[in-house]
Amino acid sequence: MIRRFAPLVAILLIAATAFAQHRLRVRRMGVSWNDGVPRVSFGARDLVTGRIRRRIAAGREQTISVTVQAFRTGSDRPIASRNRTCGVTLDVWTRKYVVRIGSRSYLYDTIPEVLSRCLGFRNFRIGTARDYVRHRGRPILFAASAEFNPITQRQCRELLRRSGGQSQVVGPVVISIVRREICGAERVVSFRSQTVPVPTGGAP
């Protein structure tokens, strides 16, 4: 079954690589630099559909995964990337929403609070100072991909790995586009920031 998908994966990877930077809509992000490391700020709660809101309200477990990557303009090889995944459930006893991020859990009273936590990014650090040293003074951008209810990542990684190891060449944003076509995430929305220059100074 997996081998049947290999040619399709390869084609989609080529198309997605071209798509990843040049076709994404621009969504303005705040970008600040601290000791040579970029920190991005943006909100994306408006991307949530009414269907997903109703599922959260009904207590059905939902997953929201956002990946942010830095790219040199004109390049499809990511400089650095970071992912944040939220699992959202409703505690039937307390009637509070439980948001799980990594090993931490948070309680919220309302769906807007949940969406702000999962889709609000403030000073979100992308990579390390070393990642940007050779790009100093050059323009970069940040591409983000928000996935709603993706299937298990293990199955998707297996499909991509069997396609010839190309998942090591492209980053999670491109893989997210492939996952949408093959692995069936319920909804995937990708966008990018405005172009910003890498500061010439900062930590090595």
Side-chain angles (χ1 to χ4, degrees):
M1 174 73 73
I2 290 176
R3 288 185 178 181
R4 289 174 49 200
F5 284 116
L8 177 59
V9 173
I11 292 171
L12 286 170
L13 282 169
I14 294 171
T17 300
F19 170 87
Q21 190 177 124
H22 303 293
R23 296 282 301 278
L24 296 182
R25 66 182 176 123
V26 176
R27 190 181 185 97
R28 190 164 187 83
M29 300 182 187
V31 181
S32 61
W33 294 81
N34 186 356
D35 292 330
V37 181
R39 298 175 183 269
V40 300
S41 300
F42 64 94
R45 54 184 281 186
D46 59 297
L47 301 178
V48 178
T49 63
R51 182 180 182 183
I52 293 174
R53 287 174 181 267
R54 290 191 293 273
R55 285 180 175 180
I56 294 175
R60 295 180 60 182
E61 183 172 3
Q62 303 294 292
T63 301
I64 301 173
S65 180
V66 178
T67 299
V68 182
Q69 292 182 291
F71 288 91
R72 272 282 309 279
T73 55
S75 170
D76 290 304
R77 186 179 295 274
I79 298 170
S81 65
R82 185 177 176 185
N83 173 271
R84 188 173 78 190
T85 298
C86 285
V88 183
T89 55
L90 177 64
D91 187 312
V92 297
W93 300 108
T94 64
R95 302 305 297 176
K96 290 182 179 292
Y97 297 101
V98 182
V99 173
R100 295 181 306 281
I101 302 176
S103 60
R104 294 188 174 186
S105 295
Y106 308 86
L107 295 177
Y108 296 101
D109 294 318
T110 67
I111 291 177
E113 290 176 317
V114 169
L115 298 181
S116 291
R117 185 66 181 86
C118 291
L119 291 167
F121 293 81
R122 184 173 178 81
N123 295 325
F124 193 59
R125 177 174 176 155
I126 311 297
T128 67
R130 290 180 181 271
D131 295 324
Y132 298 89
V133 169
R134 65 191 183 95
H135 303 288
R136 287 176 176 173
R138 297 175 176 175
I140 66 169
L141 57 82
F142 299 91
S145 182
E147 294 181 87
F148 300 91
N149 295 320
I151 70 168
T152 60
Q153 293 186 5
R154 174 187 293 181
Q155 293 169 311
C156 289
R157 282 198 301 266
E158 182 67 11
L159 285 174
L160 294 166
R161 186 180 67 80
R162 294 295 180 89
S163 72
Q166 297 202 42
S167 61
Q168 297 179 10
V169 177
V170 299
V173 168
V174 174
I175 290 173
S176 292
I177 299 172
V178 176
R179 182 184 291 128
R180 176 183 60 193
E181 300 295 334
I182 295 176
C183 303
E186 182 174 319
R187 175 175 165 80
V188 180
V189 183
S190 299
F191 51 92
R192 69 174 181 86
S193 71
Q194 70 282 10
T195 300
V196 296
V198 178
T200 55

